[in-house]
Structures are given as C-alpha cells and as structure tokens.
C-alpha cells in the first residue's frame, strides 16, 4: 500500500473513531439511598413522604421543627405559605423524598442523590439526571416521534427545560401541560424526553439532621 493510501486509511479510521466517541452514552449515575442504612432515618423520611402524599400538615409539623430553614423563612409557617402560594410544590416534595440521598456527615442526610452530580464542561443550569431505565428520546416533543436514543440513569444536557407537547391543545398555555425537555445528545443532535424522567441537579433539596436521637428536617430549598 502506498504512503498516500496509508495516510488516507489512517485518517478515515480516526474519523470513524471520533464519530463513535461523539455518539457514546452519557455518563452513568447510579441511584443512591443511604437512608436505608439507618432505620430511624428511613422511617422518618418515609413518614414524611406519606404525610406529604396526604397533604397532612399536622403530621408534617412533627418532622419539620420551628427553626427549619424553608426557602427564605422558617418552620411550618413558611412551608404552609409556600405550598399555598404554589400547590405544585406538593408534587415536588414527594418526588424529592422518593429520590434517595446521601449521608454527608454523621447525623446529616441530604436528599435527593441527584444534587451531587457534576459534569465537566456542562453548566449546572443545563445538567439533568435521567431517573429511569430505557427512557426514550424522540426527534420531536411527542410520543409519535422517532426514537433517537434511550437513557438509563445517566446525565443529560438539557437545552430547554420546558417544551410544549407537539400535539397538546393549543389553548392550554399552563406550564404543567408542557411535559417535555429538549436534550442535546452526545452526537450533538437535539431530541426530546418527557420531563418527569429528567431531574435538574439544582432542583429542590431537603436536609435532615439527627437531634437528640431524633431525625428531623432542618432545611428545604427550592431550585436555584
């Protein structure tokens, strides 16, 4: 084989390898729930999740003390005002409590696990974590579209966090009716995934601390 042909073959091989690398999967993110290593913590977190599902303020107040930081306020008065101002936060509380978390120090637990994910070269405001298995990415924001890829517990680069369903009722402008996000695939192509499967790393966070042998919520922060 001539030198010219050898160089051309090498260039073609390198181009193929580069293409393969660009189409590689996003980084895996293994779900973590270290609360399960502490029975009392797990029981407290589960009781809170059940109370949130019932919208039971009395039961929630037993776990959220008066000095807990809730947004810019403290304790149940701040939490009640917050939930009345934006009832959709009930669902966000429930999702956050369901997503496990980490023990960040003895007697300190932070939920959810997704808040600890970082990705080199991806701005925090664009970084999401896919929280399911074999979740499809479509070529348009509709389940009628072509499937471009599937993600399983991986990072995702989100270019738009709210995209209207392509076949939604045009008269419905409420954000709750916009269940899609726009994702940039590793190949740089754009695709669409149902928003319920993608968690922003800066979304709601809940901190628990052990005080006098009892676990309590000490902080609830909205996404920022």
């Amino acid at each position: 084989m001539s030198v010219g042909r050898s160089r051309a073959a090498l260039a073609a091989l390198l181009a193929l390898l580069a293409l393969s690398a660009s189409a590689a999967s996003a980084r895996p993110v293994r779900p973590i729930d270290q609360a399960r290593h502490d029975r009392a913590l797990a029981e407290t977190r589960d009781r809170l999740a059940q109370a949130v599902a019932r919208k039971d303020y009395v039961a929630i107040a037993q776990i959220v003390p008066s000095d807990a930081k809730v947004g810019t306020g403290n304790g149940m008065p701040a939490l009640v005002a917050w939930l009345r101002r934006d009832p959709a936060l009930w669902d966000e509380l429930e999702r956050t409590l369901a997503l496990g978390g980490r023990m960040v120090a003895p007697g300190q637990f932070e939920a959810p696990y997704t808040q600890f994910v970082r990705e080199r070269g991806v701005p925090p405001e664009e970084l999401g974590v896919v929280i399911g298995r074999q979740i499809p990415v479509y070529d348009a924001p509709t389940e009628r579209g072509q499937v471009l890829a599937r993600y399983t517990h991986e990072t995702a680069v989100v270019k738009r966090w709210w995209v209207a369903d392509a076949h939604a009722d045009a008269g419905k402008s409420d954000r709750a009716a916009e269940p899609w996000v726009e994702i940039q695939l590793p190949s740089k192509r754009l695709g669409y995934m149902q928003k319920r499967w993608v968690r922003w790393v800066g979304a709601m966070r809940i901190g628990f601390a052990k005080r006098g042998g009892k676990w309590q919520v000490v902080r609830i922060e909205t996404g920022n």
Side-chain angles (χ1 to χ4, degrees), residues 72-207:
T72 58
N74 294 297
M76 287 301 295
L79 182 58
V80 171
W82 194 43
L83 290 167
R84 288 178 177 171
R85 188 166 57 247
D86 186 359
L89 290 171
W90 281 109
D91 292 334
E92 183 64 4
L93 277 168
E94 197 167 355
R95 282 191 295 267
T96 302
L97 291 166
L99 281 175
R102 286 185 180 178
M103 300 292 294
V104 296
Q108 295 182 36
F109 176 78
E110 295 282 341
Y113 75 92
T114 51
Q115 68 175 291
F116 301 103
V117 177
R118 299 292 182 271
E119 189 75 32
R120 181 177 297 177
V122 180
E125 63 270 17
E126 293 185 1
L127 184 56
V129 179
V130 178
I131 56 174
R133 297 182 59 81
Q134 293 294 306
I135 307 303
V137 180
Y138 298 92
D139 65 348
T142 170
E143 291 183 285
R144 304 178 195 177
Q146 176 187 354
V147 175
L148 303 177
R150 292 183 183 273
Y151 279 59
T152 295
H153 296 295
E154 297 171 86
T155 56
V157 178
V158 181
K159 291 301 183 180
R160 287 194 290 165
W161 284 97
W162 293 98
V163 180
D165 189 300
H167 297 282
D169 185 340
K172 294 181 179 179
S173 59
D174 191 281
R175 295 185 92 190
E178 302 173 348
W180 297 87
V181 298
E182 184 180 67
I183 288 176
Q184 181 178 279
L185 299 171
S187 64
K188 304 303 181 184
R189 183 172 181 177
L190 296 177
Y192 301 87
M193 182 181 288
Q194 289 182 329
K195 189 179 186 301
R196 61 194 175 96
W197 294 114
V198 188
R199 177 83 180 187
W200 177 40
V201 296
M204 180 184 285
R205 300 172 296 282
I206 301 176

